[in-house]
Each structure stands twice: as structure tokens, then as C-alpha cells.
Amino acid sequence: VWSIFTPLAMECQAVNLGQGFMNHPKGRPRLRNALAKSYSPLFNRQLDPENEIVVTAGANEGIFSIFAGYLNQGDEVILMEPFFDQYISNITMNGGVPVYCPIRPKGDISKDMSASEWKVDIKELESKITPRSKILVLNTPHNPIGKVFSQEELEEIGALATKHNLLIISDEVYDRLYFDPKSHQRIATLKGLWDRTITVGSGGKTFGTTGWRIGWLIGPKTLVEPALAAHTRVVFCVNSPLQEAVAVGFEQADERGFFGSQVHAYEAKREKLLSVFRELGLPCTIPEGSYFILVNTDRIQVPKDYTFPELLHKRPKDFRTCYWMTKEIGVCAIPPTEFYSKPNQALAENFARFAFCKTDETLDAAVERLLKLKPYIK
């Protein structure tokens, strides 16, 4: 009822006594128009702000609403791991079943390697598809690897989705954070894939305002409508002031050269953190996008007699490494096995994820403290 009469009242300039001060579930017109203007050139099509864009309470709520709108009990969702951990609860709370396919490092992990050297085996990926498969989730630029999927890789993934009639959720929250010489290719722009792809974006990642919880979905009207229907039952609408603020951000970003300057700033922060790991002799995956570095921690010798909380003895090795670094070195990193299914956690137990989306003062303090690792590196 609200989605009928609220826009009708606006269209007719009627005195609306039907409800309180609510936004339209699709989002504020100013923000949807700003998103359409900014993203239309990137999608190689004129986006319709009324029917092809939905503003959500952060990208996570947008993804939840897609699952809520599409999944029936027992439907399977294909995930490439490592994955954003919220995917799992979003799927299972909506009756879905996650199915996993790892992205594996194909380079020499004992040395620095590009994130592009992490590869998904397309035959292995197809082997995970069954008659119950409904959705395939893609994340590019990738968290935590920092991989930006190439056009060739996206074409292979898109061909699988087409062959098996899968909906693609393309999680592109880091779409404005990719580093030269890479370019970010959108799977929805490839031939035949617009009609089966919902792209997810994030104001928090785009403008460094993750606490604002402003996200969006972009896709054909027929695909976004089920997600919109679920969205109206999850949060109904998104807060107005921060939608307006994000709209202003997009309106001014190009004329101020914001996106380019932000990338240059993040490149400097990335190099600052990479430099200390090189000094320590700890190999890294060099991210092509996003703001995380996967560091190979295999050479860090945690004292064998170190006392850990009991709960960590049941966790993979990287939990203990990251716990010890936090307590004794004073730098906190995230154990990436949390982003894997249990059968594949061994792929990540010798890594740690470090974020460089920090002030220079914070990164300088981290560099100073990380140098205390030297006596513990074998």
C-alpha cells in the first residue's frame, strides 16, 4: 500500500495525511538521480533512477534483501571463498544453502605476489552447480584478497551463470578503489549479463563513511523488484539526512576530482604498510583494489609456550597468530580463515588480513610496532 500511495501523493501534489514523515522505500530521489548520473557511463547505459536503482541500509542489507526476495528453502548459493562473512547468515536466515568454491593462490606465496595470481578454477566452480543452485555471488574488487577480476574471468563466470540460469549478485562495494594499472570491469556490462545481474554498491566504502549505512542495488526492474519488496519488510526505508549527504558527495565528486585523489591517497597508504612487511621479509599479496593486504605469516615464530585462551585452541592457526600479535606486538589483524568454509580453512591459516584504510598517524604507529616482530621471524 505504501509503495502505491506515497508516490501517488507526490505525483499529484496531494496533501498527504496518510502516514508520518516516511521516505519512499526506493530511496531519496536526489540520491537515486545522483547514482544514475554517476553510474550510467560506467554501465554503458542510461540507468532509470525510478526503476533500476534501490537505496538500501548499507550494502549488507541490500544483499540480505536480494536473498530474502529470491531464496526458497533449500536453494543453493554459490560463493567463491574467501568471502565476506555476512554472506553466510544472510543466506541461511533466508533458507538458503551456501556452496563453496575456493579462489586459490597460483603464484609463489613465499614471495610477494599480485592479487591477480589468485585464481578460481572455472571447472571446479561449475562442479559446485546443481539443479538446486539459484544464485552466484561475485565480489570484485575482492575482500580480502584485493583481486580485481579480469574481463576474461568475468566472461567465464558469466557463461556459467547463463548456462545454468543463475542470478548473479555482483558485490562491487570497492568499485571506486582500484589501483593503476588495473581497471574495474563490471560483469553487468558484458554481453547478455545485464539481464541476470544485480550490482551492489556502498556509500560507506565509496566515501569512507561505513557507519552511515547507505548502499544501493542496480539492475533491471524485473530483477530489483523482488529485492525491493523484501527491503520494504526489512527496514522499509533508509534515513534521509545521510542519503542527502551521499547524494551531495556524488554531485561534487567529479568536479573535485575526489575519486582519483582518494585512490592516490590509498596507494600511498598501501605502500607505507607494504614497506614494513618487505623490511620484515614477510611476503604479501599486493592488492589491485580494496584496502586490505593479505600477509603470509608462516615465518612468524610464536613462542611455543605462549598461553592462549581455551577457545582459540579449537580455532585455526591464524587466530592464535593474530591474537599473539595483538597482545604482544600491539597491532591487530584479522585471521582470514573466518572467511572460509571449514574444509578449506587450511588454505588461509598462514595469512593475516591488514587494513590500510587508516590515518597516516595510525599507520605510522602500526609500522613502528610491527618492527618488533623482527626477533620472531625465522
Side-chain angles (χ1 to χ4, degrees):
V1 65
W2 313 111
S3 60
I4 296 173
F5 285 95
T6 299
L8 180 63
M10 295 174 64
E11 177 187 336
C12 300
Q13 296 184 341
V15 177
N16 188 353
L17 302 184
Q19 62 186 132
F21 296 100
M22 300 295 287
N23 287 325
H24 193 284
K26 293 180 181 178
R28 301 282 291 183
R30 183 178 184 181
L31 178 53
R32 285 185 281 124
N33 287 331
L35 289 167
K37 182 178 180 180
S38 182
Y39 277 96
S40 289
L42 304 178
F43 278 80
N44 302 322
R45 65 192 309 122
Q46 183 58 51
L47 296 173
D48 177 0
E50 184 61 29
N51 295 305
E52 297 177 340
I53 298 174
V54 175
V55 178
T56 58
N60 189 42
E61 187 265 316
I63 292 171
F64 182 93
S65 293
I66 299 172
F67 289 140
Y70 277 92
L71 291 179
N72 296 312
Q73 193 71 33
D75 285 343
E76 293 177 350
V77 179
I78 310 297
L79 300 177
M80 286 172 267
E81 52 185 351
F83 47 76
F84 178 47
D85 59 336
Q86 289 290 327
Y87 291 162
I88 306 305
S89 56
N90 288 353
I91 293 166
T92 57
M93 288 176 68
N94 286 296
V97 179
V99 177
Y100 309 99
C101 182
I103 306 172
R104 304 177 191 272
K106 297 300 184 181
D108 184 353
I109 62 173
S110 68
K111 302 176 182 177
D112 283 355
M113 59 182 285
S114 169
S116 65
E117 295 182 78
W118 290 69
K119 302 285 188 181
V120 62
D121 184 317
I122 202 69
K123 291 183 180 179
E124 183 179 13
L125 183 62
E126 185 167 24
S127 74
K128 305 297 182 180
I129 300 172
T130 75
R132 295 182 299 277
S133 302
K134 181 173 280 188
I135 298 174
L136 184 150
V137 180
L138 169 72
N139 177 210
T140 182
H142 190 276
N143 168 22
I145 296 172
K147 176 183 177 66
V148 177
F149 281 75
S150 69
Q151 179 168 331
E152 180 182 358
E153 290 172 317
L154 296 178
E155 287 173 345
E156 290 182 327
I157 292 167
L160 280 189
T162 301
K163 178 180 178 181
H164 297 279
N165 194 28
L166 302 179
L167 172 68
I168 300 170
I169 298 177
S170 190
D171 180 351
E172 300 182 20
V173 296
Y174 299 101
D175 67 340
R176 306 285 181 158
L177 294 174
Y178 56 90
F179 309 114
D180 289 339
K182 290 297 291 188
S183 60
H184 172 55
Q185 176 72 56
R186 299 172 191 278
I187 195 167
T189 66
L190 301 181
K191 185 177 180 180
L193 296 182
W194 164 257
D195 291 327
R196 66 172 62 253
T197 303
I198 301 177
T199 301
V200 183
S202 166
K205 301 301 192 298
T206 299
F207 293 109
T209 56
T210 49
W212 288 14
R213 313 311 301 157
I214 302 291
W216 49 84
L217 308 178
I218 297 176
K221 179 182 179 181
T222 53
L223 291 188
V224 299
E225 278 184 337
L228 172 61
H231 166 76
T232 62
R233 294 296 178 256
V234 177
V235 295
F236 187 76
C237 64
V238 181
N239 76 85
S240 292
L242 297 180
Q243 287 193 68
E244 293 291 314
V246 172
V248 171
F250 275 108
E251 290 165 358
Q252 298 188 16
D254 287 336
E255 65 184 66
R256 292 176 178 241
F258 171 76
F259 296 127
S261 63
Q262 179 175 244
V263 166
H264 292 318
Y266 275 115
E267 284 176 328
K269 295 175 188 295
R270 178 186 65 167
E271 292 309 309
K272 186 187 292 283
L273 204 50
L274 285 171
S275 66
V276 71
F277 293 124
R278 287 168 178 151
E279 183 175 346
L280 292 168
L282 295 178
C284 300
T285 294
I286 313 300
E288 303 168 308
S290 80
Y291 43 59
F292 302 106
I293 298 174
L294 279 182
V295 178
N296 186 334
T297 58
D298 190 42
R299 294 184 59 206
I300 297 176
Q301 191 78 48
V302 177
K304 292 182 179 179
D305 59 353
Y306 192 80
T307 302
F308 291 99
E310 185 62 30
L311 65 90
L312 291 187
H313 291 293
K314 299 178 182 179
R315 295 283 197 152
K317 175 187 173 184
D318 57 335
F319 271 79
R320 294 186 291 278
T321 302
C322 289
Y323 178 90
W324 174 83
M325 281 197 298
T326 304
K327 291 278 285 186
E328 304 303 328
I329 304 302
V331 177
C332 181
I334 291 296
T337 57
E338 186 67 11
F339 310 136
Y340 283 79
S341 61
K342 285 187 177 180
N344 289 320
Q345 285 180 338
L347 293 171
E349 64 179 0
N350 288 320
F351 289 95
R353 189 194 78 169
F354 293 82
F356 54 89
C357 51
K358 307 292 181 179
T359 64
D360 288 339
E361 292 77 12
T362 297
L363 291 175
D364 288 339
V367 166
E368 182 179 350
R369 294 182 182 190
L370 283 166
L371 290 173
K372 295 191 294 183
L373 280 171
K374 283 186 176 181
Y376 300 97
I377 295 176
K378 61 184 179 181

